[in-house]
Short mmCIF file of all heavy atoms in Angstrom, two decimals:
data_model
loop_
_atom_site.label_atom_id
_atom_site.label_comp_id
_atom_site.label_asym_id
_atom_site.label_seq_id
_atom_site.Cartn_x
_atom_site.Cartn_y
_atom_site.Cartn_z
N SER A 103 -84.34 8.23 111.88
CA SER A 103 -84.60 9.46 112.82
C SER A 103 -86.09 9.25 113.34
O SER A 103 -86.92 8.84 112.55
CB SER A 103 -84.60 10.74 112.05
OG SER A 103 -83.20 10.94 111.63
N LEU A 104 -86.27 9.55 114.53
CA LEU A 104 -87.46 9.35 115.20
C LEU A 104 -88.18 10.76 115.28
O LEU A 104 -87.57 11.71 115.80
CB LEU A 104 -87.34 8.69 116.63
CG LEU A 104 -86.61 7.48 116.65
CD1 LEU A 104 -86.47 6.96 118.06
CD2 LEU A 104 -87.34 6.41 115.68
N ILE A 105 -89.30 10.88 114.73
CA ILE A 105 -90.10 12.17 114.72
C ILE A 105 -91.39 12.11 115.48
O ILE A 105 -92.19 11.14 115.19
CB ILE A 105 -90.31 12.61 113.29
CG1 ILE A 105 -88.98 12.68 112.34
CG2 ILE A 105 -91.08 13.88 113.23
CD1 ILE A 105 -89.29 12.78 110.91
N ASP A 106 -91.56 12.98 116.44
CA ASP A 106 -92.76 13.15 117.10
C ASP A 106 -93.07 14.62 117.34
O ASP A 106 -92.49 15.36 118.16
CB ASP A 106 -92.58 12.42 118.48
CG ASP A 106 -93.88 12.47 119.36
OD1 ASP A 106 -94.96 12.78 118.83
OD2 ASP A 106 -93.91 12.03 120.44
N GLY A 107 -94.01 15.14 116.55
CA GLY A 107 -94.37 16.47 116.48
C GLY A 107 -93.07 17.27 116.19
O GLY A 107 -92.53 17.02 115.10
N ASP A 108 -92.67 18.21 116.98
CA ASP A 108 -91.52 19.12 116.69
C ASP A 108 -90.28 18.47 117.17
O ASP A 108 -89.25 19.09 117.06
CB ASP A 108 -91.73 20.52 117.46
CG ASP A 108 -92.90 21.20 116.72
OD1 ASP A 108 -93.11 21.09 115.59
OD2 ASP A 108 -93.47 22.12 117.51
N THR A 109 -90.26 17.29 117.77
CA THR A 109 -89.07 16.76 118.26
C THR A 109 -88.52 15.59 117.34
O THR A 109 -89.30 14.84 116.94
CB THR A 109 -89.36 16.12 119.60
OG1 THR A 109 -89.85 17.02 120.53
CG2 THR A 109 -88.06 15.44 120.22
N VAL A 110 -87.30 15.60 117.01
CA VAL A 110 -86.61 14.63 116.29
C VAL A 110 -85.44 14.11 117.05
O VAL A 110 -84.67 14.88 117.70
CB VAL A 110 -86.04 15.21 114.89
CG1 VAL A 110 -85.38 14.21 114.06
CG2 VAL A 110 -87.27 15.73 114.03
N ALA A 111 -85.27 12.81 117.10
CA ALA A 111 -84.06 12.13 117.71
C ALA A 111 -83.36 11.36 116.73
O ALA A 111 -84.04 10.63 115.89
CB ALA A 111 -84.57 11.35 118.95
N ALA A 112 -82.05 11.35 116.73
CA ALA A 112 -81.32 10.34 115.77
C ALA A 112 -80.05 9.96 116.65
O ALA A 112 -79.50 10.68 117.40
CB ALA A 112 -80.89 11.27 114.61
N ARG A 113 -79.64 8.77 116.16
CA ARG A 113 -78.35 8.24 116.75
C ARG A 113 -77.29 8.33 115.74
O ARG A 113 -77.55 7.90 114.56
CB ARG A 113 -78.63 6.71 117.12
CG ARG A 113 -77.41 6.09 117.73
CD ARG A 113 -77.76 4.64 118.15
NE ARG A 113 -76.49 3.92 118.45
CZ ARG A 113 -76.35 2.66 118.46
NH1 ARG A 113 -77.42 1.88 118.15
NH2 ARG A 113 -75.18 2.00 118.62
N TRP A 114 -76.21 8.88 116.08
CA TRP A 114 -75.14 9.20 115.09
C TRP A 114 -73.76 8.44 115.54
O TRP A 114 -73.45 8.39 116.68
CB TRP A 114 -74.90 10.66 115.00
CG TRP A 114 -75.91 11.42 114.32
CD1 TRP A 114 -76.90 12.03 114.94
CD2 TRP A 114 -76.12 11.54 112.96
NE1 TRP A 114 -77.73 12.65 114.00
CE2 TRP A 114 -77.16 12.45 112.77
CE3 TRP A 114 -75.34 11.37 111.80
CZ2 TRP A 114 -77.59 12.72 111.47
CZ3 TRP A 114 -75.74 11.60 110.60
CH2 TRP A 114 -76.95 12.38 110.36
N LYS A 115 -72.94 8.23 114.55
CA LYS A 115 -71.62 7.71 114.76
C LYS A 115 -70.76 8.66 113.89
O LYS A 115 -70.94 8.80 112.65
CB LYS A 115 -71.32 6.26 114.30
CG LYS A 115 -69.97 5.80 114.34
CD LYS A 115 -69.92 4.21 113.87
CE LYS A 115 -68.44 3.93 113.81
NZ LYS A 115 -68.37 2.59 113.18
N PHE A 116 -69.86 9.26 114.62
CA PHE A 116 -68.76 10.22 113.97
C PHE A 116 -67.47 9.58 114.03
O PHE A 116 -67.04 9.16 115.16
CB PHE A 116 -68.87 11.57 114.61
CG PHE A 116 -70.18 12.38 114.14
CD1 PHE A 116 -71.23 12.36 114.97
CD2 PHE A 116 -70.16 13.16 112.91
CE1 PHE A 116 -72.29 13.04 114.72
CE2 PHE A 116 -71.25 13.79 112.71
CZ PHE A 116 -72.37 13.79 113.56
N THR A 117 -66.72 9.52 113.05
CA THR A 117 -65.35 9.08 112.94
C THR A 117 -64.42 10.18 112.53
O THR A 117 -64.65 10.65 111.40
CB THR A 117 -65.28 7.79 111.95
OG1 THR A 117 -66.30 6.77 112.32
CG2 THR A 117 -63.79 7.23 112.07
N PHE A 118 -63.62 10.55 113.43
CA PHE A 118 -62.66 11.66 113.26
C PHE A 118 -61.26 11.06 113.06
O PHE A 118 -60.84 10.32 113.88
CB PHE A 118 -62.60 12.57 114.53
CG PHE A 118 -63.94 13.16 114.87
CD1 PHE A 118 -64.79 12.48 115.62
CD2 PHE A 118 -64.31 14.44 114.36
CE1 PHE A 118 -66.08 13.13 116.11
CE2 PHE A 118 -65.47 15.05 114.73
CZ PHE A 118 -66.40 14.40 115.54
N THR A 119 -60.60 11.48 112.03
CA THR A 119 -59.13 11.17 111.76
C THR A 119 -58.44 12.30 112.01
O THR A 119 -58.50 13.47 111.54
CB THR A 119 -59.03 10.70 110.28
OG1 THR A 119 -59.85 9.59 110.02
CG2 THR A 119 -57.49 10.35 110.05
N ARG A 120 -57.50 12.06 113.09
CA ARG A 120 -56.53 13.28 113.47
C ARG A 120 -55.42 13.44 112.47
O ARG A 120 -55.12 12.48 111.63
CB ARG A 120 -55.96 12.89 114.82
CG ARG A 120 -56.97 12.89 116.02
CD ARG A 120 -56.25 12.69 117.33
NE ARG A 120 -57.22 12.53 118.39
CZ ARG A 120 -57.70 11.35 118.85
NH1 ARG A 120 -57.33 10.32 118.28
NH2 ARG A 120 -58.47 11.41 119.85
N PRO A 121 -54.77 14.56 112.55
CA PRO A 121 -53.54 14.81 111.59
C PRO A 121 -52.56 13.80 111.77
O PRO A 121 -51.79 13.41 110.65
CB PRO A 121 -53.06 16.05 112.09
CG PRO A 121 -54.23 16.76 112.62
CD PRO A 121 -55.08 15.81 113.27
N ASN A 122 -52.29 13.04 112.85
CA ASN A 122 -51.31 11.94 112.97
C ASN A 122 -51.90 10.65 112.42
O ASN A 122 -51.18 9.67 112.53
CB ASN A 122 -50.78 11.86 114.39
CG ASN A 122 -51.86 11.33 115.43
OD1 ASN A 122 -53.09 10.98 114.98
ND2 ASN A 122 -51.60 11.31 116.65
N GLY A 123 -53.08 10.63 111.96
CA GLY A 123 -53.66 9.35 111.40
C GLY A 123 -54.42 8.49 112.44
O GLY A 123 -55.17 7.59 112.00
N THR A 124 -54.48 8.86 113.58
CA THR A 124 -55.33 8.01 114.59
C THR A 124 -56.69 8.42 114.56
O THR A 124 -57.07 9.54 113.96
CB THR A 124 -54.69 8.21 116.11
OG1 THR A 124 -54.95 9.67 116.44
CG2 THR A 124 -53.35 7.91 116.32
N VAL A 125 -57.53 7.51 114.88
CA VAL A 125 -58.94 7.76 114.64
C VAL A 125 -59.70 7.72 115.97
O VAL A 125 -59.34 7.04 116.96
CB VAL A 125 -59.45 6.55 113.80
CG1 VAL A 125 -60.99 6.50 113.75
CG2 VAL A 125 -58.89 6.61 112.42
N GLN A 126 -60.71 8.56 116.01
CA GLN A 126 -61.54 8.68 117.31
C GLN A 126 -62.95 8.58 116.89
O GLN A 126 -63.44 9.16 115.85
CB GLN A 126 -61.37 10.00 117.97
CG GLN A 126 -62.23 10.27 119.20
CD GLN A 126 -62.03 11.65 119.72
OE1 GLN A 126 -61.09 12.43 119.21
NE2 GLN A 126 -62.75 11.99 120.74
#
Side-chain angles (χ1 to χ4, degrees):
S103 294
L104 306 176
I105 303 171
D106 185 8
D108 291 334
T109 303
V110 176
R113 182 176 167 204
W114 288 96
K115 176 182 173 183
F116 288 91
T117 304
F118 300 88
T119 302
R120 294 186 183 94
N122 68 4
T124 61
V125 172
Q126 176 179 358

